[in-house]
Every structure is written in C-alpha cells, then in structure tokens.
Amino acid sequence: MNITLATYIYIFFSSLNYVSAVVVTGTQGGVDKKSGFRPFRLEISTFEHAGPAFDLYILALQQMMDVDEFQQLSYYQISRIHGYPNIPWDLVSGGGTAIGYCAHFSTLFPPWHRPYLALFECTLWGSAQRIAAKYPTSLRSTYQDAVETLRLPYWDWSLNLTMPDITTQQSVTIQTPQGVKGVPNPLYAYSFHPVSSTDFPDPSLTNNVRRIVNYLYRPSPSGKLRVRSGGATSSLGAALAADRQWVLNAKVDRSLLPSSLTIHFFSSPPPASPSSWSTAPSLIASQPVLLPVKHSASSVSVGSVQLTHSLLHLPCLDDKTVMKSLKDNLYWAVLLSNGTAYGNDGQSLGVIKSAVEVEAKYRDLKQTESDAEFPLYSDWVAFGKTNLGV
C-alpha cells in the first residue's frame, strides 16, 4: 500500500491531537444522481405546515442542542463558528477584526457561509435520520421519506416583516415517536448547559439576541423601521407599530397547478401588462408558490403576506372597516413560471381560481416594556373561507 507524505503528516499530527479536520460534504439525501436535482428549501411560514418534515426538524434541532457543549459537532460548538464564544474551533482561530470566523461585509461571505450552513444542515440531517428510525412501524416509512428531502428552511422577511410566529412560541406541538405532544421550541431559545464563564465572561451577552432582533425589527420611537443602510422606510415601521396586524393567508392546492407560480396582491386593478406587476404602485405583496417535490408531505401550500402597511390610510384597523376595504379594493393576479398570466376578471383565472383560497387574518399586538423581550401577540383571528379578491 502506498501512503503519501501528506497522509504520514496527517496521521502524525492527528496522534498529537493537532489535527481534527471536519469534512463538509453537504446533505446528500433526496438528490437525483442523474440530474443533480436537489430538494427545494421552504420558507418558514410554509415549512411549519409541512407535517413530518417539520416534526423532524424540531426534534433534530433540539437533539443537536442537547449534545454536550464540549462536542465539536454540538449546536453550541457549530454556532460559535459564526460568533460567540470567540474561541478557536477545530484548532483554528478566527482572523480579522470580526467576531468569530464569519466574513460579514466582505466578498468572501458567500463562499464562507455556504459550507458553514452545509455543516450545520448535514449535522441536523444526521440527527433527523436517527429520529425517523424511532417512529412506530405505522409511521416510520412516512418519516423516513420526509427526512430524505429535509433541508433548512429560510425566512423571507418581505412576506412578513415581523418575526415568524413559530420563533416566538416557547413550545410547539408535534408528532414525536412517542405520540403527539408539546415540546420545548428550539427556535425560541437555547438553554445553556451550563453557561461557561470562560466562553461568556460578560453575562449580558446571553440577553443580547432579543435586544438586537428588537432593534432591527421593532419601530424606533419615531415610528420608522430601522435600517442599516439609512435608506427610506415608507410605512413599514408604522405597520410594525400598529396595535393590530393584518395578513392575507393564501392556501394553494398545488396538485391543481400546471407549474410553479407567483400570486401578486393589489389594492386596485392590476396593470394590463404582467411585466409591470412586481413594480406596480398598487402592489401589496407577492407570494411565490413552488410545485411539490418528490416525497413532499402535502400538495397544499399555506403562506401569508403582510397586509397592514397597505391599510394605514384607513381610519382604524377594526375588522368591519378592514373587511369592507378588502371587499372593495383587493385584487390578485397570477403569473406562472412559464410566463402565462391570469388576471383578476373571474373567468380567465380558470383552474387557478379553484386552486387558490385567500382569506384575511389579524392578531393584536402588545409591546413589552423591556427591549430584551419580544412583543406579545394574540392568537390569529381568521375571517371565513370566502375567496377575497375574486
């Protein structure tokens, strides 16, 4: 057997605990070996309705968090690569003036962040695989299918300017291998076990996450949304400050659709040319809808778009006033991925009309006095199954 000099060096230093390289391959489950097709990532407001995939995500994330904090592939250790605690990982120290290793504000950010997320996702996927195998026989194949296409979700803040609901709930009810039950929500908080005085010499660091999030996504005393670039904020900050927040909830049966599409919502009739829909002054918001992928848990997609900012001209945001305004002024149109457009004339919507159900929902908001706590939200109140805008 031929062994290269590099191999000898690696073995030598490994024996001295100087080398412990972690190989990042990325998640391979669900990848078509012939075409290279990979499963889609889902936006968090859609992903939380994904059934088995979401159950596995929550359980796998919590399992990562429960791993001993001294283990290199624990949630604690992987997370610190991005920032605190600012100490070496895998025997390599971070460079530059930034905290940790992350190359923010640099052209190196994309090639740095992709393998970082690949490491996190691959570790989570491995945990999800082990969890899926523990479900009872009647459910095991469903969950093992779901884990194949499991990927980290993303948050599209342009769809909903407030923090996603699922991140503000202390517990979440899911299907576990032991049955349906409530579990601590790993998207809400991380529990140190224990907090290291060496890693976090300043106790206030553990409270800073909510302060930073509130600073970015809460309105300032002037009522404007804070932005790093100092750009214009229009009415978004005022929408976040409103005591009642409204959204449009779109439920789409993707099995009836010929292709992926985008739903555009307007406060007046949409422009004649679909090419100007995305920039129309009357555009409220847009919601992309992808066709289900192989092993998808459901053909139904549920998503929400922010509505409050388009209602601030009304005298109040009570349900009677808002619903009358929506009945008189809400329009929506659909653009398929192949360029085919469906306007809002009731007839040309055709099969699209039967596949899409739009309703309005609101929740009340109460700001907390402490900047280290998220605002308090009531439960959502939905208004019927009427197809608004048609």
Side-chain angles (χ1 to χ4, degrees):
M1 178 178 66
N2 295 323
I3 300 180
T4 65
L5 176 61
T7 303
Y8 272 123
I9 295 174
Y10 183 88
I11 294 173
F12 172 73
F13 281 103
S14 294
S15 67
L16 298 178
N17 291 323
Y18 288 145
V19 176
S20 56
V22 175
V23 178
V24 179
T25 60
T27 305
Q28 301 301 309
V31 178
D32 189 302
K33 295 182 179 179
K34 292 183 179 180
S35 66
F37 174 84
R38 294 175 178 274
F40 291 115
R41 299 187 184 281
L42 298 179
E43 205 279 329
I44 187 67
S45 62
T46 298
F47 183 63
E48 66 175 299
H49 300 286
F54 181 73
D55 297 342
L56 290 170
Y57 173 66
I58 291 295
L59 293 173
L61 191 56
Q62 187 61 58
Q63 188 176 89
M64 283 180 64
M65 291 182 173
D66 291 340
V67 173
D68 190 301
E69 292 178 351
F70 290 99
Q71 295 295 317
Q72 192 172 43
L73 295 181
S74 65
Y75 179 93
Y76 180 82
Q77 293 287 345
I78 294 177
S79 295
R80 84 182 196 188
I81 298 174
H82 202 276
Y84 283 108
N86 190 15
I87 55 179
W89 187 84
D90 200 21
L91 302 179
V92 178
S93 297
T97 58
I99 297 171
Y101 302 80
C102 188
H104 281 125
F105 313 111
S106 167
T107 55
L108 296 177
F109 179 79
W112 180 91
H113 206 258
R114 286 178 67 86
Y116 171 69
L117 283 181
L119 170 65
F120 188 99
E121 183 176 72
C122 197
T123 304
L124 180 136
W125 190 76
S127 294
Q129 274 194 312
R130 294 187 290 273
I131 294 169
K134 296 180 180 179
Y135 277 83
T137 305
S138 60
L139 295 174
R140 190 172 303 151
S141 61
T142 298
Y143 279 81
Q144 288 178 328
D145 284 347
V147 79
E148 284 298 305
T149 56
L150 179 63
R151 296 295 188 271
L152 290 175
Y154 67 94
W155 171 34
D156 185 346
W157 58 265
S158 67
L159 293 179
N160 193 342
L161 295 174
T162 57
M163 289 294 293
D165 284 348
I166 191 62
T167 66
T168 66
Q169 302 169 14
Q170 296 188 38
S171 63
V172 59
T173 300
I174 58 173
Q175 174 77 49
T176 75
Q178 294 76 39
V180 176
K181 62 180 182 179
V183 299
N185 184 4
L187 295 174
Y188 178 80
Y190 174 83
S191 298
F192 292 93
H193 47 94
V195 176
S196 170
S197 60
T198 302
D199 291 351
F200 292 94
D202 181 358
S204 66
L205 290 176
T206 60
N207 298 320
N208 276 352
V209 172
R210 286 190 177 89
R211 287 194 177 95
I212 293 173
V213 170
N214 279 329
Y215 178 81
L216 292 174
Y217 298 106
R218 261 186 175 180
S220 65
S222 66
K224 293 183 177 180
L225 184 68
R226 300 179 178 91
V227 289
R228 290 183 177 180
S229 62
T233 59
S234 65
S235 60
L236 298 183
L240 287 174
D243 292 334
R244 176 165 290 182
Q245 297 186 343
W246 286 84
V247 299
L248 288 174
N249 198 61
K251 183 178 180 181
V252 182
D253 186 347
R254 297 178 293 181
S255 67
L256 300 177
L257 301 178
S259 71
S260 299
L261 55 82
T262 300
I263 306 173
H264 297 280
F265 297 94
F266 302 91
S267 58
S268 62
S273 174
S275 63
S276 61
W277 286 356
S278 61
T279 57
S282 61
L283 179 70
I284 297 173
S286 301
Q287 179 182 335
V289 180
L290 300 175
L291 288 185
V293 297
K294 185 180 180 181
H295 300 311
S296 175
S298 173
S299 64
V300 176
S301 170
V302 180
S304 298
V305 297
Q306 185 64 244
L307 180 62
T308 312
H309 64 283
S310 69
L311 303 172
L312 297 178
H313 65 283
L314 299 176
C316 64
L317 296 181
D318 70 294
D319 52 291
K320 183 177 180 180
T321 302
V322 170
M323 293 305 293
K324 182 180 186 307
S325 176
L326 293 179
K327 182 179 180 181
D328 295 340
N329 303 304
L330 178 66
Y331 298 82
W332 55 271
V334 171
L335 186 62
L336 301 185
S337 59
N338 61 11
T340 303
Y342 293 85
N344 188 62
D345 59 13
Q347 295 182 356
S348 64
L349 284 173
V351 68
I352 302 299
K353 179 180 176 181
S354 63
V356 180
E357 182 179 295
V358 178
E359 67 176 357
K361 298 195 301 183
Y362 77 81
R363 64 180 178 183
D364 292 322
L365 176 149
K366 180 181 180 181
Q367 297 286 0
T368 54
E369 295 182 2
S370 171
D371 63 356
E373 295 294 332
F374 288 142
L376 302 176
Y377 298 96
S378 69
D379 292 334
W380 285 106
V381 177
F383 281 84
K385 296 182 179 180
T386 179
N387 214 350
L388 289 171
V390 174

